Amino acid sequence: AAALTFTDLYDEWSAVHFERISHSTKSQYVMAFKHFKSIHNVPFGNLRTSHYQQIIDKSTLRKGSLEKLKMLASAMYEYAMQNDICSKNYAAYIVLPKADKKEKEIFTDADIKKLWNNKDMPLVDTVLILIYTGMRIGEMLKLTRFDVNLEKQTITGGLKTEAGKNRVIPIHQKILPFIQARYAAGERLFPMTYSNYTEGFKASMDALDIKNKTPHCTRHTFATLMARNGADAKALQKIIGHANYSTTADIYTHLGIADLKKAIEKL
């Protein structure tokens, strides 16, 4: 075990662990492993917190990705300790940088108008569906006809958390024709992979000259539009599928100064 390198241990750990996790979690761990390239061939027993910390400090990755690096190293130590390969988790002492709380981008009213004016362009219907439902991209992509009730005009679906699963989302009148058209076209409403979707999304946004938007911005846009129109925050929490009210409250208000003035006038 003394000569076991970081890569050897990763191979051993992943052979066991990868059977129990989702494909997307797996690919995050694979990405994290690549970022540890400089210690791949170092004997695992020789590694200390400083080795990991150096990699973290030099990295240009965002905090969310750096958290994945720490998670991978910690999971490997857990495995190593269970198998008497080492007795201490040095990854536990890694210090991550403080995240700069960036204002999350939302689609502006002008962006949304542009989307409606070009609703027949590839995937623009999906962007509007996301903006008017608040669904996560993965949630939308896995929808089938069985999740849609055209009579009641609701979608039942969701992923991620207990609060997120099997929640009922009302279908806004504006996007009902898109849902009906997709419903008529086949059992899976959006027959494409996550990566195909994100590529197509980027191509459409570039073509429309809508800048700095990711598919996830649609979710923040939905929350903001709901807040702007006086939606009850608890109702929003239900529709958006958050377990914690604080999570909803955090993304709830991307409100502009005009919205804030309007709110103050109501006092």
Side-chain angles (χ1 to χ4, degrees), residues 243-259:
N244 286 326
Y245 172 66
S246 59
T247 315
T248 309
D250 190 34
I251 71 157
Y252 193 54
T253 42
H254 302 285
L255 299 178
I257 194 76
D259 302 306

Side-chain angles (χ1 to χ4, degrees), residues 177-221:
F178 298 147
I179 301 287
Q180 286 167 328
R182 294 247 173 203
Y183 187 95
E187 188 175 306
R188 270 189 69 198
L189 271 62
F190 308 92
M192 61 194 100
T193 64
Y194 193 96
S195 57
N196 283 350
Y197 182 73
T198 49
E199 273 171 40
F201 175 93
K202 190 181 180 317
S204 292
M205 293 308 101
D206 287 348
L208 288 172
D209 199 30
I210 294 178
K211 293 183 167 42
N212 304 324
K213 303 296 186 293
T214 66
H216 198 69
C217 296
T218 55
R219 201 161 144 81
H220 301 297
T221 306

Side-chain angles (χ1 to χ4, degrees), residues 137-180:
I137 298 84
E139 292 172 339
M140 178 184 75
L141 295 180
K142 71 182 269 293
L143 288 179
T144 70
R145 278 185 187 158
F146 304 107
D147 304 313
V148 178
N149 186 326
L150 287 177
E151 203 181 314
K152 289 186 178 167
Q153 298 186 3
T154 57
I155 291 168
T156 306
L159 305 162
K160 212 162 179 183
T161 61
E162 277 312 310
K165 283 176 194 155
N166 298 325
R167 62 188 192 277
V168 178
I169 302 164
I171 300 172
H172 194 291
Q173 287 305 306
K174 284 184 174 176
I175 59 163
L176 187 60
F178 298 147
I179 301 287
Q180 286 167 328

